[in-house]
Amino acid sequence: GSTLQDAAAESGRYFGTAIAASRMSDSQYTTIANREFDMITAENEMKMDATEPSQNQFSFSSGDQIADWALQNGKRVRGHALAWHSQQPGWMQNMEGSSLRNAMLNHIAGVAGHYQGKIYAWDVVNEAFEDGSSGARRNSNLQRTGNDWIEAAFYAAREADPDAKLCYNDYNTDNWQHAKTQAVYNMVRDFKSRGVPIDCVGFQAHFNSGNPVPNNYHETLQNFADLGVDVQITELDIAGSGTSQAEQFRGVTQACMAVTRCTGITVWGVRDTDSWRASDTPLLFDGYGNKKLAYGYVLDQLNTA
Ligand code: G3I
């Protein structure tokens, strides 16, 4: 394949990007996105604050703009994200207890219901575990509604869109030795053993020098896949430049391709200048839309099937 999506498709995988609605009037941006990527995630437009700015008043125009563009161009859509401690609308931030639990369930029904039939996979719950060595759940208003909030979210998502794959998505879960990785693994194992409807685990994969691509990434992905879920790289970006950056992108691609149930890779933006951390130049295209060295390494690895 001569594009990322075509090369990935040769092994039955997808190659995706995050898209920001505010950039869709930039034709260089949409030209690259349309040519290279076949899975689209809305960078912010399907989050809780964007889709339910006032309680029970849903707003889908920006999310629809991205989903419609993707579907009209023959692409699939990853939904991001139904329940998260961050980017909650103001009205939700100080809620608690059963009113918050019910508001979360109503949100999931409203958003997953609106997009029903259009989403390949939803990030149902995002970033629910603590960093560091505790392996604990993150202390958030959602967590304080009860430890079962995550499975409640998955049941609500399944009811709203029975055909979407339902994912748990997090960061710093790449290294198999990390407590956070083990904690998420134990939750997924528990969910599978009790029949909680979870289909996939998303690995955000935001890397930098302090948090490099681990040597055991393949082992991590395989161990999760062995629980009976798909795994996906969902928000890949790697700070740096040149050969070092390119080799790390190749390593992530290689790790995914070594795991049958790693169904695809999504990078978190198109050009470096589109990134949430643009100064890290963490993406596959430079600010002028040129392919970087890392692009070539990823493409070659995808073609080494
Ligand atoms: O749209 C408003 C604009 O109207 C306002 O003037 C401006 C002033 O701050 O803010 C704009 O919103 C910003 C939004 O991005 C759109 O650019 C928010 O402040 C800013 O917080 C938001 O950042 C997003 C971040 O999530 C929020 O948590 C990033 O774009 C987005 O890339 C990032 O994505 C997350 C994933 O969802 C989850 N995993 C980590 C990843 C990186 O942080």
Side-chain angles (χ1 to χ4, degrees), residues 43-44 47 80 84 87 126-127 204 206 235 268 276:
E43 187 174 358
N44 289 293
K47 292 174 179 175
H80 174 79
W84 189 18
Q87 281 182 287
N126 198 35
E127 302 176 2
Q204 294 185 9
H206 296 293
E235 305 180 13
W268 203 240
W276 66 294

Side-chain angles (χ1 to χ4, degrees), residues 3-4 28 32 36 43 54 65 79 85 89 106 108-109 115 120 128-129 149 157 200 245 259 272 291-292 304:
T3 64
L4 298 170
Q28 181 185 73
I32 297 170
E36 299 289 341
E43 187 174 358
S54 304
Q65 190 187 345
H85 69 278
N106 185 62
I108 293 171
Y115 287 107
Y120 161 72
F129 283 81
W149 76 275
C200 39
Q245 181 184 50
V259 176
D272 285 337
K291 295 168 182 173
K292 294 167 59 181
T304 310

Side-chain angles (χ1 to χ4, degrees), residues 121-122 124 154 157-158 161 164-168 197-201:
W122 266 113
V124 177
F154 276 85
R158 178 68 95 223
D161 189 351
K165 289 183 185 290
L166 305 182
C167 301
Y168 177 79
I198 184 169
D199 305 303
C200 39
V201 175

